[in-house]
Amino acid sequence: MNQMDKTAKIEDATKFTVKDFTELVKIGIVNSNTITAFTGMWLAFQLTGVSFIQNLDILIFTILGSGMVVAASGAFNNVIDRDIDGIMERTKNRPTMTGKISGKRALLVAAVLGVVGEALLFMTTWQAGVIGLIGIFLYVVVYSMWAKRKLVSNTVIGSFSGAVPPLIGWFAVEPTFSAVPIMLFLVMFCWQPPHFYAIAIKRKEEYAAAGIPMLPVVKGIERTKWSTLFWVVLLTILPFFMWELGLVYVILATVLNVIWLALCLYGFKMEDSMKWARISFVYSINYMTILFVSMVVIGVFL
């Protein structure tokens, strides 16, 4: 490699675009988790009688803090997964793989985001800050460094961290447990396995090549469909423990769950499992969006 090539490579490595940053922190996951954190916070305001207008600082600290904590976790994950991301089609172009962001720089970004995010959360309540720390530990250490690579149950274990944001939002306003935050946690927890199983089916060969023991790789697609059905059945039960959100919510959530149940059952008859996985994935995204937006809207009338 001549000097010109070396210089060009160094220049490429020092470029840090907005797109590179959003890919590093997994902005899609940041956005979706921030919505669930906001929902938890919003419901806490509405159900406890705490003034929303008089506590705009809590809103700002919670949204920014939870977003940064999730972003930090995503960046840490990208650094940890560099040995397998290059093998998988959907991850081979991440900035940590192309060299646009070095491992050291990614770690620095992750650390800064994590520290600032946690500082903001602790400015609401110490409980929200601790829950944020637990979320980072579960995702980065327990899931990314261990379960994802070693256990078939990696998706379920990873769901614990993914269910933390609504708890952060709730505890930032009302630092005590009650039925609503527990149910929000369980909704997020039960939603994640069927959502990620759909991805795992679509990317089965890639996960196999990377040596990641996803359920479809180890147990097969048929078993994955049964597991998907199991988690959707659990989701179907949860609305009946959420009467504090009113009849409209219970009916809406039940309708969404019944549709997903029907889709799961139809999956056993479809010969094209990849097509079913794509449909299931799209439905899971719309399901979560509709469910949490409805919670926010309904919260206005509580």
Side-chain angles (χ1 to χ4, degrees), residues 264-284:
C264 288
L265 294 173
Y266 184 62
F268 291 104
K269 295 184 179 181
M270 287 188 66
E271 294 183 1
D272 190 343
S273 294
M274 296 301 164
K275 180 179 180 180
W276 175 82
R278 288 193 295 271
I279 296 172
S280 183
F281 172 76
V282 171
Y283 185 82
S284 69

Side-chain angles (χ1 to χ4, degrees), residues 16 21-22 24-26 30 64-76 105-121 136:
F16 197 136
F21 176 78
T22 57
L24 173 67
V25 302
K26 302 184 179 182
V30 173
L64 291 179
S66 59
M68 288 182 178
V69 164
V70 174
S73 300
F76 277 125
R105 180 177 290 183
L107 283 175
L108 177 61
V109 171
V112 171
L113 286 171
V115 170
V116 175
E118 278 300 317
L120 291 172
L121 292 182
I136 293 175

Side-chain angles (χ1 to χ4, degrees), residues 127 140 148 243 262:
Q127 291 92 336
V140 176
K148 180 177 181 178
W243 286 101

Side-chain angles (χ1 to χ4, degrees), residues 113-272:
L113 286 171
V115 170
V116 175
E118 278 300 317
L120 291 172
L121 292 182
F122 273 107
M123 292 174 69
T124 60
T125 65
W126 68 264
Q127 291 92 336
V130 170
I131 292 173
L133 287 174
I134 292 172
I136 293 175
F137 177 79
L138 288 175
Y139 186 72
V140 176
V141 178
V142 177
Y143 172 70
S144 298
M145 298 180 69
W146 175 60
K148 180 177 181 178
R149 298 161 179 266
K150 300 294 184 181
L151 304 176
V152 181
S153 57
N154 52 16
T155 302
V156 177
I157 293 173
S159 296
F160 281 99
S161 59
V164 162
L167 288 184
I168 293 175
W170 179 275
F171 275 78
V173 178
E174 176 56 45
T176 56
F177 272 109
S178 65
V180 172
I182 292 173
M183 288 301 110
L184 290 176
F185 175 88
L186 290 176
V187 167
M188 283 298 297
F189 181 77
C190 293
W191 170 81
Q192 289 173 93
H195 170 71
F196 286 105
Y197 286 157
I199 298 175
I201 290 175
K202 293 195 300 176
R203 302 290 184 176
K204 178 185 175 183
E205 299 305 322
E206 293 181 34
Y207 280 116
I212 303 300
M214 299 299 287
L215 186 62
V217 174
V218 179
K219 300 292 184 178
I221 293 177
E222 190 75 6
R223 168 64 183 278
T224 306
K225 290 181 179 180
W226 280 108
S227 294
T228 298
L229 178 62
F230 169 79
W231 289 104
V232 174
V233 168
L234 291 184
L235 278 173
T236 305
I237 298 171
L238 296 181
F240 300 101
F241 294 91
M242 302 177 72
W243 286 101
E244 286 187 68
L245 301 186
L247 179 62
V248 173
Y249 171 79
V250 174
I251 293 175
L252 174 62
T254 300
V255 170
L256 291 173
N257 288 328
V258 169
I259 294 174
W260 205 351
L261 275 175
L263 178 59
C264 288
L265 294 173
Y266 184 62
F268 291 104
K269 295 184 179 181
M270 287 188 66
E271 294 183 1
D272 190 343

Side-chain angles (χ1 to χ4, degrees), residues 87-124:
I87 301 173
M88 301 184 65
E89 186 68 28
R90 74 183 185 92
T91 57
K92 69 179 184 180
N93 291 319
R94 284 176 174 171
T96 45
M97 292 305 305
T98 61
K100 291 182 178 180
I101 301 179
S102 67
K104 289 183 178 180
R105 180 177 290 183
L107 283 175
L108 177 61
V109 171
V112 171
L113 286 171
V115 170
V116 175
E118 278 300 317
L120 291 172
L121 292 182
F122 273 107
M123 292 174 69
T124 60

Side-chain angles (χ1 to χ4, degrees), residues 11-24:
E11 289 177 351
D12 288 340
T14 57
K15 293 178 181 179
F16 197 136
T17 67
V18 172
K19 182 180 179 182
D20 294 332
F21 176 78
T22 57
E23 290 180 352
L24 173 67

